[in-house]
Amino acid sequence: MKLLNTQNTETNKYELEIAVDPEQLEAACQRAYLKNKSKINIPGFRKGKAPRKMIEKLYGDSFFYDDAINDLYPAALTEAVAEAKLDVVAVEKIEPTEVGKDKGFTFKALCIVKPEVEVSNYKGIKVTKTVKAVTEEDINEELSRLQERNSRMISVEGRAAENGDTVVFDFEGFVDGEAFAGGKAEGYSLVLGSGQFIPGFEDQIVGHTVDESFDVNVSFPEDYHEESLKGKPAVFKCKLHEIKTKELPELDDEFAKDVSEFDTLDELKKDIESKKAHDNEHEAEHAVENQLIDTVLENMTAEIPEVMYEQRVDDLVRDFGARLQSQGMALDLYIKYTGMDMDGIRKTFRVQAEKQVKVRLAMEKIAKLENIEVTAEELDAEYKEMATHYNIDPDKIKRMIPEEDVKGDLSIRKAIDFVKDNAKITAGKTKKAASKTEKAEKAEKAEKEEKEEKTE
């Protein structure tokens, strides 16, 4: 391979002219012949037995060029990019310019590179760290969650269904007097008030009793995912079989023994308070980090290629699909159920992708300016941590994830730590979380002020 020319055509774009010598082209043509000869029929020869020269005589010297070029250009381009010392993020176009037995193969590649980045004033950033105080309400909310997790469902007798109950019922839906696909179920379990069904459905179950048959009259929303049902009035014929409600355990020492390693409720409360204080501290640290990063981004300048954002969106969509898969749902099925399309899903990740790209570019620049490097010990520790997290052999992790990728991620983290270590962080006044009563009072005050404005 020979790099003939490197030209900066426009911002973040370089055109490389690359030559592959005749010997390499000949070797690639021979590989193409060996790969494809079994598919080629030549009169006078058994299938797959025709000599290469005979094939080229019949079809032309260029018969194997396409396969040979496709075989050659990836490695040639990689070598040329390294020689040109370019940080390529995408290849926009590959254009062969010359090919021949005596000339070899010449092509041009239009490459998109990482932008030039400038960052300033990333040392000594002033931020305030405010840690929320742990309130009695916080502790009670956690106790309520523990009660919910340890609750049991009991059948209700002698009363009608209420919001919050779980009902077991049969239903069949009809539109214009005809049953429609997917509108029937038996022994279906539904929490009333959960909003699982279309608006108005659950409200019409409230008030009915066990063994009662009744109709539910609703209309499908105009934006319903099934085209044939959009905006249509429907009748669901229902029969109620069972009403169940949650029974919560008593908050006492026995409860503490059942749900924790503590013997008394007071000990459990103290543990909840300690853990909540730790969470609040972590939340405050995270908020400080976000403030610092936002300030760094405000002081960064770069013309970022659109393809970098799109590639990051690709990564986030792929990760989202993998998470869905781990939960037993394919991405295309999720799209069908939610009524979204791929463009809509990509838009939901766009803002996140843009910020992540900018943060990485800024921190890469800071790492370079401050000579931040990843040591062999840090790299080895990271691989071991990843192996433990995924329960995979460390050597296998090293084969799966390239060293440069791991070093890159570690250097970003170290750059963020550098910004934090060099920031001027002052402790804010401990912030007391607003209670439900305070929140209600604020909402009531805001509503009153809004009404007064309308009156005026």
Side-chain angles (χ1 to χ4, degrees):
M1 185 285 303
K2 184 177 181 181
L3 178 60
L4 301 177
N5 188 40
T6 303
Q7 183 181 357
N8 185 195
T9 57
E10 57 182 287
T11 304
N12 302 322
K13 287 188 180 181
Y14 282 81
E15 183 182 78
L16 305 183
E17 188 175 5
I18 305 159
V20 178
D21 61 48
E23 290 75 20
Q24 287 178 296
L25 178 61
E26 165 57 27
C29 285
Q30 180 63 15
R31 288 194 296 272
Y33 161 69
L34 294 172
K35 178 183 176 183
N36 294 295
K37 68 176 185 175
S38 62
K39 307 170 191 173
I40 300 172
N41 258 330
I42 298 291
F45 295 91
R46 283 183 297 154
K47 187 176 181 181
K49 296 298 182 180
R52 178 181 156 193
K53 286 185 178 180
M54 185 61 68
I55 297 169
E56 290 177 335
K57 184 177 180 180
L58 188 61
Y59 294 109
D61 289 343
S62 62
F63 185 76
F64 294 109
Y65 281 175
D66 282 349
D67 282 346
I69 288 170
N70 286 331
D71 178 24
L72 287 169
Y73 88 78
L77 179 58
T78 299
E79 287 181 40
V81 165
E83 185 177 328
K85 294 181 172 56
L86 296 178
D87 199 344
V88 174
V89 294
V91 179
E92 190 171 282
K93 186 169 66 173
I94 297 284
E95 181 184 5
T97 54
E98 192 174 36
V99 60
K101 282 192 174 181
D102 299 328
K103 301 172 184 176
F105 165 48
T106 305
F107 67 99
K108 290 181 179 179
L110 186 61
C111 302
I112 302 173
V113 301
K114 280 187 178 180
E116 289 292 328
V117 177
E118 296 294 333
V119 287
S120 60
N121 302 323
Y122 56 86
K123 295 180 186 177
I125 299 173
K126 295 179 181 179
V127 290
T128 301
K129 176 182 173 182
T130 304
V131 183
K132 291 180 183 176
V134 180
T135 65
E136 187 176 343
E137 187 174 345
D138 293 331
I139 297 169
N140 289 337
E141 284 178 356
E142 180 57 30
L143 288 172
S144 295
R145 281 191 284 271
L146 285 171
Q147 279 183 296
E148 285 285 338
R149 287 201 292 269
N150 290 276
S151 64
R152 66 189 184 102
M153 300 300 293
I154 59 170
S155 292
V156 173
E157 296 178 0
R159 71 164 173 81
E162 299 174 355
N163 263 324
D165 288 339
T166 297
V167 294
V168 180
F169 68 115
D170 304 335
F171 65 86
E172 184 171 15
F174 298 83
V175 170
D176 298 328
E178 299 288 333
F180 58 88
K184 182 178 180 179
E186 294 181 354
Y188 193 90
S189 184
L190 172 68
V191 178
L192 298 181
S194 64
Q196 187 177 339
F197 277 38
I198 58 177
F201 191 105
E202 295 168 28
D203 293 339
Q204 293 181 55
I205 297 178
V206 172
H208 291 286
T209 55
V210 172
D211 293 330
E212 186 179 352
S213 296
F214 54 93
D215 290 348
V216 168
N217 295 279
V218 289
S219 290
F220 284 98
E222 293 293 342
D223 60 353
Y224 195 66
H225 61 84
E226 176 56 51
E227 190 68 33
S228 62
L229 297 176
K230 287 183 176 180
K232 292 287 185 70
V235 177
F236 286 84
K237 296 191 174 297
C238 305
K239 182 167 184 179
L240 186 56
H241 293 297
E242 187 179 7
I243 302 170
K244 297 185 286 186
T245 191
K246 280 183 185 177
E247 183 178 70
L248 300 177
E250 290 290 329
L251 284 175
D252 52 23
D253 291 344
E254 288 303 313
F255 173 77
K257 291 176 185 177
D258 289 340
V259 302
S260 71
E261 69 272 27
F262 301 106
D263 293 326
T264 67
L265 186 60
D266 284 341
E267 288 176 311
L268 175 58
K269 286 180 177 181
K270 286 178 181 176
D271 182 65
I272 291 172
E273 182 178 14
S274 174
K275 288 176 179 175
K276 184 62 180 173
H278 178 271
D279 291 344
N280 288 354
E281 175 67 26
H282 180 75
E283 184 182 318
E285 282 287 334
H286 188 63
V288 164
E289 189 172 295
N290 282 336
Q291 290 177 63
L292 292 170
I293 287 173
D294 288 343
T295 303
V296 169
L297 296 186
E298 288 170 8
N299 295 323
M300 178 185 85
T301 56
E303 293 185 44
I304 302 173
E306 175 64 20
V307 68
M308 293 188 71
Y309 295 138
E310 289 299 313
Q311 287 174 346
R312 188 57 192 148
V313 171
D314 290 341
D315 294 339
L316 294 173
V317 171
R318 191 161 44 248
D319 291 346
F320 178 63
R323 289 197 302 275
L324 286 175
Q325 194 72 44
S326 69
Q327 296 165 13
M329 178 177 284
L331 181 58
D332 56 352
L333 196 60
Y334 173 85
I335 290 172
K336 180 181 176 182
Y337 283 160
T338 59
M340 296 181 73
D341 56 20
M342 185 52 75
D343 285 342
I345 287 178
R346 291 181 68 83
K347 283 178 183 175
T348 63
F349 289 109
R350 176 68 189 205
V351 173
Q352 182 183 354
E354 285 188 11
K355 183 166 184 179
Q356 289 179 355
V357 169
K358 290 175 182 177
V359 170
R360 192 170 191 89
L361 288 171
M363 294 304 157
E364 284 176 347
K365 184 66 175 182
I366 291 172
K368 185 177 180 180
L369 291 171
E370 299 299 333
N371 297 314
I372 294 172
E373 295 182 353
V374 176
T375 66
E377 292 77 13
E378 289 170 334
L379 182 64
D380 189 53
E382 182 67 11
Y383 271 123
K384 286 179 180 177
E385 187 175 328
M386 291 166 68
T388 301
H389 179 76
Y390 293 109
N391 196 25
I392 297 175
D393 182 79
D395 290 334
K396 188 175 181 180
I397 279 280
K398 288 179 180 180
R399 291 193 297 271
M400 291 169 59
I401 306 175
E403 183 177 299
E404 284 306 307
D405 290 353
V406 178
K407 287 177 74 173
D409 290 342
L410 280 173
S411 68
I412 298 304
R413 264 187 258 163
K414 291 185 73 172
I416 292 173
D417 288 340
F418 176 87
V419 172
K420 191 187 296 185
D421 292 342
N422 286 274
K424 294 178 179 177
I425 303 172
T426 56
K429 187 177 179 182
T430 303
K431 186 177 178 183
K432 181 181 177 182
S435 67
K436 289 180 180 178
T437 305
E438 290 171 335
K439 291 175 184 176
E441 287 173 353
K442 286 182 180 179
E444 186 179 339
K445 183 180 178 182
E447 186 179 351
K448 183 179 178 182
E449 288 174 352
E450 186 179 350
K451 286 180 180 179
E452 289 174 353
E453 286 178 6
K454 288 180 180 179
T455 305
E456 291 173 359

